[in-house]
Amino acid sequence: MMMWSNFFMQEEDRRRREAAGRRRALGQHQSRLTPEREGKIKLGLLLSAVGATLAVLAVGTEFWVELNTYKANGSAVCDAVHLGLWKMCTKRLWQADVPAGRDTCGPAELPGEANCTYFKFFTTGENAHIFQRTTKKEVNLAAAVIAVVGLALMALGCLCIIMVLSKGAEFLLRVGAICFGLSGLLLLVSLEVFRHSVQALLQRVSPEPPPAPALAYEYSWSLGCGMGASLVLLLASGCFLLLTLPPGPWGSLCPKLGHRAT
């Protein structure tokens, strides 16, 4: 009797091990991406990388807006300022270098004497003073914080997609799509908040002498990079969301040509 009981126990253990092995093999097979699906995810990741590059370039540079004085001041030089989320640069340009058809100083890319300083409202809480005008630090801080949160979500989305490709964790595909979508929306919100900060700066004229000069402003290439980054990230989010949809509805909407024969 003891021999038969040992035999049955060994047979039961063998069956359990085989079942566990089949489950592991099935799980590995299901977590493995097909080459076609992997290629689509890689294309989406490449699109996200383009958006991420534009976003980092926009947030890290200070050419969001240019504030220019007018050339008709009886001097051989004129002043211009370009600023971003973190710092501003004051430039003194030769009027001879300014394009002839331009009434204001600039563009800021022209060579000239430059003095760049970081905004102090990130450290001491002081407002910046530009051409006898004062920034509204709460609005500038809000634009910077929103942009940083957008970059953090963008980095999290990239990490999720990399995990999908390396580990086969396809449930992270939807998480990555949501992260990219929120990142694009936050960058758009940051752009709008920054626009309000520029309007607030132009209106907050100091009553103290000397009088504030007349200014013209124009948005520059950093802000264009931010706009492009937000649109590309939203497009990447939509592509990843499409990849998370089940194939059934699309198969019914787009039947194979073989089914239409005759």
Side-chain angles (χ1 to χ4, degrees), residues 84-143:
L85 296 175
W86 315 106
K87 66 179 180 178
M88 65 175 181
C89 293
T90 304
K91 296 193 76 171
R92 179 153 290 182
L93 307 176
W94 292 99
Q95 291 198 19
D97 295 334
V98 178
R102 187 182 175 102
D103 295 330
T104 60
C105 194
E109 290 82 3
L110 291 175
E113 181 184 348
N115 180 24
C116 297
T117 57
Y118 285 92
F119 291 123
K120 293 183 178 180
F121 41 71
F122 294 109
T123 54
T124 61
E126 300 177 30
N127 276 306
H129 302 282
I130 306 172
F131 293 134
Q132 284 74 51
R133 292 167 172 83
T134 307
T135 59
K136 193 172 183 180
K137 61 181 181 181
E138 296 84 4
V139 185
N140 292 81
L141 277 170

Side-chain angles (χ1 to χ4, degrees), residues 19-98:
R22 284 195 297 268
R23 285 196 297 269
R24 283 195 299 269
L26 182 60
Q28 292 176 358
H29 177 73
Q30 289 177 346
S31 63
R32 204 171 293 159
L33 296 172
T34 62
E36 181 183 2
R37 187 168 178 80
E38 183 178 353
K40 292 178 180 178
I41 295 175
K42 286 182 177 178
L43 284 176
L45 184 60
L46 179 62
L47 186 64
S48 305
V50 173
T53 303
L54 290 174
V56 172
L57 186 63
V59 175
T61 52
E62 61 277 0
F63 288 88
W64 284 52
V65 68
E66 297 178 13
L67 303 175
N68 304 313
T69 58
Y70 285 86
K71 291 194 299 183
N73 55 5
S75 174
V77 295
C78 59
D79 295 321
V81 171
H82 59 91
L83 60 140
L85 296 175
W86 315 106
K87 66 179 180 178
M88 65 175 181
C89 293
T90 304
K91 296 193 76 171
R92 179 153 290 182
L93 307 176
W94 292 99
Q95 291 198 19
D97 295 334
V98 178

Side-chain angles (χ1 to χ4, degrees), residues 149-201:
V149 174
L151 289 183
L153 286 171
M154 180 186 67
L156 182 59
C158 290
L159 181 62
C160 289
I161 302 304
I162 291 173
M163 290 292 291
V164 172
L165 292 172
S166 61
K167 303 296 184 181
E170 289 198 60
F171 68 94
L172 291 176
L173 196 61
R174 183 175 281 106
V175 178
I178 294 173
C179 288
F180 283 128
L182 290 176
S183 176
L185 289 176
L186 286 176
L187 284 175
L188 284 177
V189 173
S190 178
L191 296 176
E192 180 62 20
V193 174
F194 182 82
R195 190 183 70 83
H196 283 282
S197 73
V198 173
Q199 298 296 328
L201 170 66

